[in-house]
């Protein structure tokens, strides 16, 4: 049985390091005995170092990385630097970066390559912007094609795809399980075009967008869904741990 992956994306929260350490200890302790799960905590980069010292079972993740190694890139952080802090997984192409910070498909692709080429795992975020977007499947397919272009097949085992419809992020709206099932098939079909059959079969697909302890079971029960990318609820340890439990029980 493959482990379910549950990622806490804290975004730009909490406001101070003491709270970040507290939250990570609570999540780490509370989820340490839940079988069949892998928990990844992705705090703001400035807290990574402190949090890496307190995690026992959970893995450390980052929310973003630049595509260079070192150099004159004021304000940026490279995958190499993240790796040196104990980061194992990097979120790439989150919609808040794509649409709030103008990251285009080419930038996302270069970030994917940079993260994977230093041996880190990458969570590639994809998703349509509008609920009623006519061609939402085509939009997701285009992101996968553009963002995985030129990525060598040998990196496949380190790629995770998170389907996060933008309209479901932080809104309380969620995807219908039947739509999620269909999108999962569509994502695997798109991965097949880029990385081949084996990757299409084995790549973990996460769902993100207003996941909480009440609705998590609806999504984790969907065939082909391997976990969650959780925003707001990941700042509430008890509820987040409840989601981990639900994921581990399937
Ligand atoms: P919410 O869980 O707050 O909707 O955020 C989802 C998300 O963007 C995780 O990356």
């Amino acid at each position: 049985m493959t482990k379910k992956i549950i990622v806490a994306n804290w975004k730009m929260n909490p406001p101070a390091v003491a709270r970040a350490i507290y939250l990570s200890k609570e999540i780490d302790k509370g989820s340490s005995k839940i079988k069949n799960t892998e928990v990844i905590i992705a705090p703001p980069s400035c807290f990574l170092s402190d949090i890496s010292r307190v995690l026992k079972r959970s893995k450390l993740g980052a929310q973003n990385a630049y595509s260079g190694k070192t150099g004159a890139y004021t304000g940026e952080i490279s995958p190499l630097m993240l790796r040196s802090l104990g980061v194992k997984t990097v979120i790439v192409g989150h919609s808040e970066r794509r649409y709030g910070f103008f990251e285009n498909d080419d930038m996302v692709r270069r970030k994917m390559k940079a993260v994977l080429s230093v041996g880190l795992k990458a969570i590639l975020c994809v998703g349509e912007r509008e609920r009623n977007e006519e061609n939402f499947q085509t939009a997701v397919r285009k992101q996968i094609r553009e963002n995985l272009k030129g990525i060598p097949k040998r990196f496949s085992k380190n790629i995770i795809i998170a389907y996060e419809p933008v309209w479901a992020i932080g809104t309380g709206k969620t995807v219908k399980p039947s739509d999620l099932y269909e999108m999962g098939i569509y994502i695997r079909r798109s991965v097949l075009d880029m990385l081949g059959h084996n990757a299409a079969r084995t790549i973990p697909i996460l769902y993100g967008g207003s996941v909480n302890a009440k609705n998590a079971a609806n999504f984790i029960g969907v065939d082909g869904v391997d976990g969650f990318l959780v925003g707001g609820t990941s700042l509430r340890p008890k509820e987040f741990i409840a989601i981990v439990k639900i994921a581990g029980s399937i």
Side-chain angles (χ1 to χ4, degrees):
M1 187 178 184
T2 51
K3 284 185 180 175
K4 297 285 187 289
I5 301 165
I6 307 95
V7 187
N9 175 11
W10 289 352
K11 308 191 177 183
M12 201 172 73
N13 298 290
V17 67
R19 179 76 187 163
I21 292 171
Y22 167 80
L23 289 174
S24 49
K25 280 185 179 166
E26 288 293 298
I27 290 176
D28 191 54
K29 194 158 49 107
S31 60
S32 66
K33 294 203 171 70
I34 305 174
K35 294 209 173 73
N36 301 322
T37 56
E38 178 181 334
V39 172
I40 300 171
I41 300 178
S45 300
C46 56
F47 301 149
L48 283 168
S49 198
D50 286 286
I51 292 179
S52 73
R53 287 188 209 107
V54 305
L55 296 185
K56 294 200 167 76
R57 187 238 189 194
S58 317
K59 302 262 168 40
L60 193 61
Q63 299 174 15
N64 183 28
Y66 186 61
S67 49
K69 284 201 166 73
T70 55
Y73 304 105
T74 303
E76 294 296 331
I77 299 171
S78 76
L80 263 186
M81 294 166 180
L82 294 172
R83 193 180 71 180
S84 79
L85 294 177
V87 166
K88 304 285 183 219
T89 307
V90 182
I91 298 170
V92 180
H94 192 281
S95 61
E96 285 151 18
R97 303 244 24 115
R98 289 180 193 261
Y99 308 120
F101 296 91
F102 310 106
E103 275 185 21
N104 61 30
D105 279 326
D106 191 52
M107 289 159 82
V108 174
R109 183 186 57 78
R110 280 187 277 130
K111 288 182 174 202
M112 284 297 288
K113 209 163 182 188
V115 165
L116 293 165
S117 60
V118 299
L120 296 178
K121 293 192 176 191
I123 301 176
L124 174 64
C125 300
V126 296
E128 76 280 5
R129 293 185 81 167
E130 305 291 336
R131 185 178 210 158
N132 296 322
E133 217 168 284
E134 217 174 283
N135 296 318
F136 68 95
Q137 291 177 329
T138 318
V140 170
R141 183 194 186 97
K142 181 174 174 288
Q143 284 178 325
I144 292 176
R145 280 178 166 261
E146 298 281 323
N147 301 159
L148 295 182
K149 203 186 283 172
I151 303 282
K153 277 190 187 170
R154 68 175 187 281
F155 290 145
S156 302
K157 65 177 193 322
N158 282 343
I159 299 174
I160 297 163
I161 299 214
Y163 171 54
E164 295 205 308
V166 180
W167 52 264
I169 295 178
T171 59
K173 295 176 189 157
T174 55
V175 75
K176 278 197 272 173
S178 55
D179 288 347
L180 180 59
Y181 176 66
E182 202 178 331
M183 182 54 90
I185 294 171
Y186 210 76
I187 288 173
R188 290 190 194 282
R189 183 63 186 82
S190 309
V191 169
L192 189 144
D193 293 338
M194 304 309 293
L195 297 171
H197 180 257
N198 204 34
R201 217 166 35 84
T202 55
I203 245 169
I205 297 179
L206 314 183
Y207 169 68
S210 298
V211 174
N212 59 37
K214 286 203 184 92
N215 62 27
N218 299 341
F219 310 120
I220 203 72
V222 172
D223 235 15
V225 173
D226 305 291
F228 296 118
L229 182 50
V230 186
T233 309
S234 69
L235 293 156
R236 297 193 291 276
K238 278 204 182 100
E239 196 175 346
F240 182 75
I241 292 159
I243 295 174
V244 178
K245 269 195 193 129
I246 291 165
S249 68
I250 298 286

